[in-house]
Amino acid sequence: MDDNTDILSIFSLFFRRKGYHVITAGGGQDCIDMIQAYVPDLILLDVMMEPMDGWQTLMNLKKNPDSCRIPVIMVSGKTPTPDDVHMYGKYYEHFVMKPVSFPVLFDVVSRVLAPPVILTR
Amino acid sequence: MGFPAWHSGVYKVGVQTVAGMNILLIEHESVTTKGIHAVLSAMGYEVMAIVDNGDSALKIARHIKPDLIILDITQHDENAWVSCAEKIREHGEIPLLLIASDSSCNCSGFTSIPHQFDYYMLPLEGDKLQITINMVIKKHSLEIRLKKSEERYHTIAELGEDMIFIVNRERILEYANSVVMMRFGSDCGNCVFKKPYLEVLTGELISSLDNFISRVIWWGEKIHRQDQVRTPYGTEWYETLLIPMKSKNNQVNAVIVVSRDITDRVLFEEKLREKGIRQIEKNNEQFQILNDQIRNPLQVIKSIIEFEDNPFQDKILEQVAIIDSIVTRLDQGWLESEKVRRFLIEHYHHGNPDCQEKKGLLSH
C-alpha cells in the first residue's frame, strides 16, 4: 500500500515477476476496506500518507480481528523516531527504508513469510 | 495689628564694610534691636540693612543676598512676626534667627517656635549669640543640601513608571512615589511616616513582597525577584528589586522597593516563544514530508534501473546512493529537531496539539 502510484506500479511488477499475487491500495482506508473482501498473507505499508497515515492504518489493521494476524512490513522514506519504534514496533514485522533495492526487499519479504523454525533438542 | 506706619519699607541701610557675614535685621526700633545691632557689629558681622517687615526684607534680600536674617520679635505684634517669619521660611533661601525674650513666651504663637524656627533667647551675650548664628547658618546650609538632595532623588524616583516605596525597620512607610499613589490611592502619601506600610499598601503583590522585605532587613542583601499576581483585570507580572539602606554600623534602617510591571514583556515573550515553537514544529513537519518526497522518486529510479540492463546502471545507482545519504543526514537533523521540539513541549507546555493527539492514538 502506497499513495505514490509509480511506487505501487513498480513494486507490483517486481513481486508479480517473482510469482506473488499482488493487490494494491492507494490509501489507508482503501486498504482497510479491501481487507473485508480479501485477506493477504503480507502487507507492505507506506508511512507518509494522507489523510490516514501508515501508523494509523497499522493500528486499525491490528484492532480488526480479521486482519490482526497479517504480518506487516513498513516501507517509508521517513526515518522512524525512537517514539515511533517504541509505540508501533511491536505491531510490525520489519521496517524498510526507501530507496530499497529489490534483492534486499525480496529477502526481507521471504524471511517474514517463512514458517517459524521450531527449535528442538 | 501690624507695624507702625512710619516703619513701612526700608528704614535704614547699613554702610558698614567690616569683613564678615552679611546680616539683614528686621526690627522695631527697640532698644533691644539697637543692642543686637551693636553686638553684631562688634563681632564683625555686617548689618547690611534694617527693615521693619517680611515683604521688604525679602525684596531687599534679593539685592543684597544676606547670609542671615534676624527677626526681633520682642516688640512685634504676634500676628505680624509669625506672618513675617513664615514668609521668610517659605522663601527658603536665607536662614532665619528669631530674637525672643521672656515676654515672647507668653504669646500663643511662641509655642510653635521650638519646632518651626531657630531662636535666641535674650539677654544678649556675644559668644552665645555668635554660636547660635553659626549654628543656624550651618543648619540652614545642611537643610539646603538635604533639600536639593531630596529634590534630586524625588526627580529620579518620578522619572520612570516603576513603583518605588521605602519601608523602615518598624515596617512604617517612609516614602511612596506618584506611581505607588496612583495604584494604591493618593491617601498613602499622607500616611508616610505614620502608618505600617501593610495598612496602606495592599494586594497580592505586597503580601508576597512582605516576606522578602523582612529578609532584606534581616540579612542586609538585596533581592531581585519576579512575581505573578492575580488581579481583577487578569494575571500581572512584576519584577522587583529590594535594596537595603544601611547605616554606618551596617544596620539596615530601611528597604527601598522598586517594582516594575512587566506584564506586557512577559506576554510578548510568551507569544514569541509559542510562535517560535510552532515554527519549529512546522519546519519539522515540512522536513518529514520533504524526506519522503525525495525518497519516493529515488525508489522509482532505483527500481527501474535494477529492472533493466543499462550501461550506466552502476553510475546511476551511485548517484541515487549519494542523494540518499544527503537525505539521511537531513533525517538525523530532523531527529535532533524532534528532540528539541519535545523538550520545548515538555518544559514550556507549547506544541501542536494535533501532533500530540496523533501520537497518543496508540496509548489507549
Side-chain angles (χ1 to χ4, degrees), chain A residues 11-12 15-24 38-42 113:
Chain A
F11 274 32
S12 300
F15 281 107
R16 281 186 185 120
R17 279 192 181 182
K18 289 286 180 183
Y20 290 92
H21 181 60
V22 181
I23 302 166
T24 59
Y38 185 84
V39 179
D41 297 313
L42 173 72
L113 287 176

Side-chain angles (χ1 to χ4, degrees), chain B residues 138-248:
Chain B
K138 179 77 178 168
K139 184 182 160 195
H140 185 264
S141 145
L142 291 173
E143 279 173 355
I144 292 282
R145 279 171 60 187
L146 184 65
K147 196 178 169 189
K148 280 184 179 169
S149 171
E150 273 181 2
E151 282 170 359
R152 199 158 44 230
Y153 287 113
H154 178 76
T155 307
I156 293 169
E158 294 294 338
L159 272 178
E161 292 177 356
D162 299 346
M163 287 191 289
I164 301 175
F165 58 92
I166 298 175
V167 179
N168 67 17
R169 285 183 75 83
E170 289 71 40
R171 307 297 197 278
I172 302 292
L173 184 66
E174 280 197 358
Y175 172 80
N177 74 349
S178 60
V179 183
V180 174
M181 291 188 205
M182 210 156 64
R183 184 185 170 99
F184 297 99
S186 55
D187 278 352
C188 66
N190 302 325
C191 300
V192 167
F193 282 111
K194 291 176 189 165
K195 284 188 178 178
Y197 84 102
L198 285 176
E199 286 182 21
V200 187
L201 314 178
T202 53
E204 200 178 322
L205 174 65
I206 301 297
S207 304
S208 61
L209 289 178
D210 184 47
N211 181 32
F212 294 95
I213 287 174
S214 301
R215 282 195 204 180
V216 173
I217 289 173
W218 184 255
W219 295 109
E221 301 285 339
K222 73 175 177 184
I223 291 177
H224 181 222
R225 56 176 287 99
Q226 203 168 310
D227 290 281
Q228 182 181 350
V229 296
R230 289 178 300 276
T231 71
Y233 312 105
T235 305
E236 292 176 354
W237 284 264
Y238 288 89
E239 191 173 61
T240 305
L241 193 59
L242 300 104
I243 308 154
M245 288 173 73
K246 293 181 181 176
S247 61
K248 279 181 184 171

Side-chain angles (χ1 to χ4, degrees), chain B residues 59 132 145 173 190 199 266 274 280 288 341 358:
Chain B
K59 200 183 282 181
T132 308
R145 279 171 60 187
L173 184 66
N190 302 325
E199 286 182 21
V266 170
E274 192 172 352
I280 290 172
Q288 293 177 61
R341 189 187 75 88
K358 207 177 269 186

